Amino acid sequence: MFRFYVNGKEYQEEKDMKLLRFLRDKLHLTSVKDGCSEGACGTCHVLIDGKAQKACIPSLSMMEGRHIITVEGLSEEEKEIYDRAFGEAGAVQCGFCIPGMVISAKGLIDQNPDPTRAQAAHAIRNNICRCTGYKKIIDGILLAAKYKREGLPEKREYAWKLGERVPRVDVREKVLGYGQYPDDIYEEGMIYGSALRSAYPRALVKFIDTEKAKALPGVIGIFTAEDIPGSVKVGHLKQDWDGLIPVGKITHYLGDAVALVAAETPELVEKAKKLIKVEYEELPMVHDPYEAMKEDAPLVHEDGNLLAHWHVHRGDAEKAIAGSAYVLTEKFRTPWTEHAFLEPECAVAKPDGEDGVIIYSSDQGVYDTQHECMALLGLPAEKVKVRNKLVGGGFGGKEDVTVQHHAGMIAYLTKRPVKVKLTREESILIHPKRHPMDMEFTMGCDENGIIQGVKAAVIADTGAYASLGGPVLQRACTHASGPYNYQNFDIDGKAYYTNNPPAGAFRGFGVTQTCFAVEMLLTKMAEKVGISPWEIRYRNAIRPGQELPNGQLVDDSTGLAETLEAVKEVYDSHPYAGIACAMKNAGVGVGLPDWGRCKLYVHNGKVEIHSGASCIGQGLGTVLVQMVSEKLGLKREQIYYDASNTYNAPDSGTTSGSRQTLVTGEACRRACEKLKEELAHKTLEELEGQEYLGEYLARTDAMGSDVKNPVSHVAYGYATQVCILDKNGRIEKIVAAHDVGRAVNPLSVEGQIEGGVIMSTGFALTEQYGLKDCRPQNKYGTLGLFRAYQAPEVESIIVEKEGLKVAEGAIGIGEITSIPTAPAIAGAYYKYDGQYRTSLPLANTPYERKKKGK
């Protein structure tokens, strides 16, 4: 019998287990998040006898007589302090790491009531955040310490208008840990599900024997492809992804599901998986695109190994380059990258009537999830209801289904509620990554450094399935020109299937890779011409009324030159400074239907906001609340934001392409205009039950449209970032100037910039996702993610420029923040030591880590 105390109450437990499992599964203290169960991420921090420790490491047998405190056990005063401090500081984005951060903060403040920034960063050294870049979390800790010392000031009243630095609408539930992510759901009679994965990257499945597993007491069902009610194939855009690999078919990677197990407990699920016997015929695997493109290469898919081919051109690049005063050609390489969001994939599904299901999901598009689950289950839309719970980070990695369709299938077949959750090891294997790309770029400039033409070729490894590989390659190609004014451009890009984990959407969506190449080439070209890297960018920067290399005329909101002007002084005043620019589309673009939709519903004297647009930490709910408050003159308490779902919210597309603030924001504005007309004559009470739908189509021209100046995207964001190194070659500071059109919430904009910059600082210097024979070599703790004490200072400069005629001028910022960081850092090292680096992560820096795998 183990005796210990949790939040002041004594508990006695006979069965030994991890403290994390007891706190979550027995006591349902869901502030204690399960981010990795490997002791690496810090989301499960609790106080044990006053010291912040990870709950996933110790067992109950180690807790004898000890006192454990979770966020639920904080005093009411402390709860108010952390809620206020973290909200006012802008410390909360996806929120999954935040309760663990609060615990580490309390452990520090209880011992040191007036900590420094360095001490606060040290206190959260074992807590990883993938969203914020840590700056605002440290601000929150210091503010909490101040409030603890001096007492809480009078609560500030916010106007909740556009442009105001308001705390996010979901701060309290995330800080105090009661907001529900899917893993926080515990349904009555809930069972657990998991997939048995392929033993080989590429193998013929000859036979599956499930009899011993089915006979295990507590096993509810074992399911194979034969049990799928609908289509075996699913997929975000291209339906090439096997829900389960059928007997007689070939696996594509180690993440392929061969069988599903449903049982009463997670332990029984794992026991049953070991009893399933699968006979394979191992086949030669395809390791990389160069193997994939060989004539005699094994076929990853029956229709060939080439997923996508894009040839983007305008003018005559070869002729322009041939006539240039200066010409440079270089080869570049960027690696696989793991999203490493703090919340592993999880879904809970339950029966809905006799022949339907409800799925609680963590994803980037509830309607996308619905469509894929409908296909697998063979059910119409009204029978498959999907609701977003809180999403613990996405960055593109949660656009594809991973567990939702399996949860839906188990619930549909067993008529029981079920939880299906990936372990961190499974997550690192299964969901799509950032595409590794090999690139060759040639640039020609005249004697003044004005770009005459660019020609490039890109080869991408798209892994085992299509995912978003086609659009990612397309965006890599269309943005490879950089945000500059010239008209001779030619790029050829190809993405090949391999037996590696799939690659798909990742913050920057392909532009991160080609931007590294073109910006590094421009830095070297400046040296060749005899001008500064800042000057060559300023001379070439796209300005309002000019044409991008894709032919699009840019509007008055184009502020690249202003971002360059904002950083000139800091760039010129430091000897070891690197600089890079970027542009990134907002909206899907290239002629595809891109609808934003938002419904306002008047209920109980309030205006409810309903939109099927996922908030994954970027703060969409807060943006829409500010839009409604601004347009209708309502107070915060008169507005309710409902999480996205498929049954009472209109489809507003995927949270991808930095589109939701602009596209759904404009839809919300249009809905507000309709309601505003009514409010001129009636009160909210008189409008009870009325609905107002706003829709906006971000209309663009298709690739290759036969028009002089095609509109490729409805808007672009622009940025310039400067990296400053100290005399020891470590990053002292990164200054990031971003043109956002109009900043709806400057506090959130800064948070997006800080988080994106630190994420790509890791991309540039330390992160690795090693593969050996198509098998990942890294655990969460060895991915090389930046921690708080390693993160350099990030200074955000928000450039606001009028000109965009939709969404009150707001341009999305989620992706562009990560795009110019790596070339800015590489440029700084070029100044520092003269080494011109063309591959990531950068070699020969103080941050260099020993590489693992291939």
Side-chain angles (χ1 to χ4, degrees):
M1 184 75 71
F2 311 115
R3 184 181 58 85
F4 49 89
Y5 301 86
V6 178
N7 296 332
K9 183 177 178 181
E10 182 180 342
Y11 289 90
Q12 297 184 23
E13 185 70 22
E14 292 185 1
K15 182 183 176 183
D16 201 9
M17 66 183 77
K18 294 294 184 182
L19 176 60
L20 173 63
R21 298 273 45 100
F22 177 80
L23 296 175
R24 286 188 59 82
D25 299 340
K26 296 284 188 177
L27 303 188
H28 293 176
L29 296 173
T30 55
S31 74
V32 190
K33 304 299 182 191
D34 183 6
C36 70
S37 287
E38 297 173 353
C41 73
T43 62
C44 65
H45 266 67
V46 296
L47 290 177
I48 302 177
D49 292 341
K51 183 179 178 181
Q53 297 183 47
K54 296 162 187 169
C56 68
I57 299 298
S59 299
L60 295 185
S61 54
M62 302 168 65
M63 293 295 105
E64 183 64 35
R66 306 185 78 175
H67 289 261
I68 299 139
I69 294 178
T70 71
V71 168
E72 290 90 345
L74 299 183
S75 70
E76 291 307 309
E77 180 192 37
E78 287 174 318
K79 288 178 180 179
E80 188 65 23
I81 284 173
Y82 286 107
D83 173 29
R84 291 267 296 275
F86 275 50
E88 290 167 14
V92 180
Q93 291 189 30
C94 90
F96 199 80
C97 74
I98 293 299
M101 294 286 185
V102 168
I103 287 293
S104 292
K106 175 176 166 55
L108 167 69
I109 294 168
D110 284 352
Q111 298 299 318
N112 180 0
D114 193 7
T116 63
R117 289 196 75 85
Q119 288 168 334
H122 180 75
I124 57 172
R125 65 194 179 280
N126 294 319
N127 299 77
I128 288 177
C129 176
R130 197 65 167 152
C131 295
T132 68
Y134 301 104
K135 180 177 180 178
K136 285 182 168 31
I137 291 178
I138 294 172
D139 291 344
I141 293 171
L142 299 182
L143 190 56
K146 179 183 178 182
Y147 288 164
K148 190 79 186 293
R149 292 192 311 272
E150 302 175 6
L152 278 164
E154 187 174 340
K155 199 164 187 176
R156 179 181 165 185
E157 291 295 325
Y158 296 92
W160 286 87
K161 304 299 183 185
L162 298 178
E164 188 164 0
R165 300 170 67 89
V166 298
R168 295 195 182 198
V169 296
D170 52 9
V171 165
R172 189 172 183 86
E173 63 180 316
K174 288 177 173 177
V175 169
L176 301 185
Y178 63 81
Q180 279 194 332
Y181 301 82
D183 192 28
D184 297 331
I185 298 172
Y186 291 87
E187 289 274 340
E188 184 70 30
M190 187 174 76
I191 59 176
Y192 297 83
S194 180
L196 176 69
R197 306 286 168 179
S198 176
Y200 303 99
R202 184 167 178 269
L204 175 67
V205 178
K206 301 183 75 173
F207 181 72
I208 305 173
D209 181 0
T210 63
E211 293 308 310
K212 285 186 179 179
K214 286 179 177 177
L216 187 68
V219 168
I220 306 302
I222 310 289
F223 308 109
T224 65
E226 293 180 353
D227 300 302
I228 292 176
S231 170
V232 172
K233 299 282 188 179
V234 298
H236 190 73
L237 296 178
K238 181 180 179 180
Q239 283 67 53
D240 65 347
W241 203 317
D242 295 273
L244 290 164
I245 301 291
V247 171
K249 295 295 183 178
I250 295 172
T251 66
H252 303 90
Y253 82 125
L254 289 163
D256 273 333
V258 177
L260 287 180
V261 176
E264 296 287 356
T265 68
E267 294 80 10
L268 278 171
V269 168
E270 294 307 310
K271 191 173 180 180
K273 281 163 66 173
K274 292 182 174 68
L275 295 176
I276 298 173
K277 301 301 179 186
V278 183
E279 183 182 341
Y280 296 96
E281 179 186 335
E282 189 178 1
L283 300 172
M285 66 188 81
V286 180
H287 294 82
D288 57 50
Y290 302 99
E291 288 184 9
M293 66 178 71
K294 291 178 181 177
E295 286 189 14
D296 60 347
L299 294 182
V300 179
H301 290 275
E302 294 175 1
D303 58 353
N305 287 342
L306 181 66
L307 166 67
H309 179 200
W310 289 104
H311 185 206
V312 180
H313 61 97
R314 187 174 175 84
D316 191 335
E318 284 197 19
K319 183 179 178 182
I321 291 168
S324 296
Y326 301 102
V327 177
L328 279 175
T329 299
E330 294 284 353
K331 292 182 178 180
F332 301 90
R333 170 170 285 188
T334 58
W336 293 93
T337 321
E338 158 66 24
H339 299 74
F341 31 71
L342 268 293
E343 178 211 21
E345 295 88 338
C346 181
V348 171
K350 62 182 182 180
D352 184 34
E354 286 298 313
D355 55 355
V357 292
I358 298 175
I359 300 169
Y360 299 110
S361 179
S362 174
D363 58 40
Q364 294 182 224
V366 288
Y367 279 90
D368 297 325
T369 294
Q370 181 194 49
H371 293 153
E372 295 199 53
C373 293
M374 285 164 54
L376 190 84
L377 298 176
L379 294 175
E382 64 270 17
K383 297 294 185 181
V384 181
K385 298 175 182 174
V386 181
R387 184 175 184 86
N388 253 160
K389 305 306 284 185
L390 294 178
V391 182
F395 318 115
K398 290 178 180 172
E399 289 196 38
D400 304 82
V401 295
T402 49
V403 292
Q404 300 95 324
H405 57 320
H406 289 158
M409 179 175 160
I410 293 172
Y412 181 74
L413 294 175
T414 65
K415 306 303 179 190
R416 296 273 299 270
V418 62
K419 179 181 290 185
V420 181
K421 173 183 153 187
L422 297 186
T423 65
R424 180 57 69 175
E425 182 180 11
E426 287 177 310
S427 178
I428 287 173
L429 167 65
I430 291 164
H431 72 252
K433 317 301 172 191
R434 176 182 278 139
H435 286 77
M437 291 188 185
D438 288 351
M439 300 162 282
E440 183 171 345
F441 272 67
T442 298
M443 176 183 287
C445 286
D446 70 9
E447 64 278 3
N448 296 312
I450 304 302
I451 301 171
Q452 301 300 298
V454 170
K455 187 177 175 66
V458 173
I459 299 294
D461 186 341
T462 205
Y465 290 105
S467 180
L468 277 293
V472 167
L473 179 70
Q474 184 189 64
R475 215 64 76 244
C477 292
T478 57
H479 286 60
S481 58
Y484 304 111
N485 178 38
Y486 62 97
Q487 297 308 307
N488 299 295
F489 177 62
D490 190 304
I491 182 166
D492 193 77
K494 294 178 179 178
Y496 288 91
Y497 286 119
T498 67
N499 293 118
N500 289 316
F506 196 130
R507 195 176 205 169
F509 210 79
V511 187
T512 316
Q513 295 92 312
T514 52
C515 176
F516 174 68
V518 75
E519 289 296 310
M520 289 304 295
L521 209 56
L522 207 52
T523 290
K524 196 170 188 180
M525 183 63 80
E527 183 180 49
K528 204 172 179 71
V529 174
I531 58 178
S532 77
W534 183 92
E535 182 65 33
I536 199 169
R537 288 168 171 84
Y538 195 68
R539 291 182 185 184
N540 287 286
I542 190 73
R543 289 168 169 85
Q546 294 180 341
E547 291 182 47
L548 286 166
N550 64 13
Q552 180 165 343
L553 288 170
V554 298
D555 63 22
D556 291 340
S557 70
T558 302
L560 179 62
E562 287 84 346
T563 67
L564 277 157
E565 291 162 0
V567 302
K568 187 176 192 305
E569 184 178 348
V570 71
Y571 178 77
D572 288 343
S573 61
H574 288 84
Y576 308 129
I579 189 169
C581 297
M583 70 176 184
K584 182 64 176 69
N585 62 289
V588 174
V590 295
L592 297 172
D594 192 10
W595 284 96
R597 296 184 180 92
C598 182
K599 181 178 73 177
L600 302 182
Y601 174 58
V602 182
H603 182 58
N604 288 338
K606 294 185 178 183
V607 173
E608 295 185 357
I609 304 171
H610 298 273
S611 177
S614 295
C615 182
I616 62 172
Q618 84 278 33
L620 176 65
T622 307
V623 165
L624 298 181
V625 168
Q626 287 181 262
M627 182 71 75
V628 171
S629 178
E630 169 90 10
K631 303 308 291 183
L632 299 180
L634 299 179
K635 295 180 180 179
R636 171 68 187 94
E637 57 268 23
Q638 294 175 287
I639 306 166
Y640 170 76
Y641 170 70
D642 192 39
S644 66
N645 62 75
T646 61
Y647 43 88
N648 68 5
D651 187 358
S652 199
T654 313
T655 295
S656 178
S658 302
R659 61 182 293 279
Q660 293 295 8
T661 292
L662 190 159
V663 178
T664 302
E666 172 62 11
C668 181
R669 188 195 69 79
R670 293 183 178 195
C672 287
E673 293 297 334
K674 292 180 179 180
L675 176 52
K676 188 176 181 180
E677 289 182 19
E678 297 278 322
L679 286 173
H681 310 286
K682 297 179 180 179
T683 66
L684 280 177
E685 286 71 21
E686 290 172 321
L687 295 173
E688 176 71 20
Q690 296 297 306
E691 296 181 358
Y692 303 87
L693 177 66
E695 295 184 300
Y696 167 60
L697 174 61
R699 197 181 300 278
T700 53
D701 296 312
M703 291 278 289
S705 292
D706 188 22
V707 293
K708 184 178 185 298
N709 296 113
V711 177
S712 181
H713 297 282
V714 292
Y716 290 96
Y718 298 90
T720 303
Q721 294 184 3
V722 171
C723 172
I724 300 163
L725 302 181
D726 64 21
K727 63 182 181 180
N728 298 313
R730 299 192 74 85
I731 300 177
E732 183 178 301
K733 187 178 187 179
I734 295 178
V735 180
H738 283 259
D739 163 31
V740 300
R742 183 178 187 184
V744 175
N745 185 345
L747 187 65
S748 284
V749 171
E750 290 169 359
Q752 288 285 286
I753 293 171
E754 292 154 9
V757 166
I758 296 304
M759 177 178 279
S760 265
T761 301
F763 173 57
L765 295 170
T766 58
E767 290 189 32
Q768 57 187 19
Y769 181 80
L771 292 169
K772 183 177 181 182
D773 290 335
C774 304
R775 183 183 297 275
Q777 300 296 293
N778 294 92
K779 291 188 173 184
Y780 197 82
T782 66
L783 289 169
L785 310 177
F786 259 59
R787 295 177 182 267
Y789 64 91
Q790 298 170 309
E793 179 187 354
V794 178
E795 179 185 345
S796 304
I797 300 174
I798 299 173
V799 175
E800 293 187 277
K801 195 170 183 192
E802 295 182 1
L804 184 67
K805 305 302 183 185
V806 296
E808 301 293 317
I811 301 169
I813 192 175
E815 294 180 281
I816 194 172
T817 57
S818 279
I819 294 173
T821 312
I825 293 171
Y829 279 105
Y830 187 40
K831 263 197 174 182
Y832 179 76
D833 60 16
Q835 292 185 46
Y836 186 71
R837 298 161 174 86
T838 58
S839 64
L840 299 176
L842 301 174
N844 302 318
T845 76
Y847 300 90
E848 187 172 15
R849 306 170 71 240
K850 186 177 180 181
K851 294 179 181 178
K852 296 184 73 173
K854 181 176 160 184

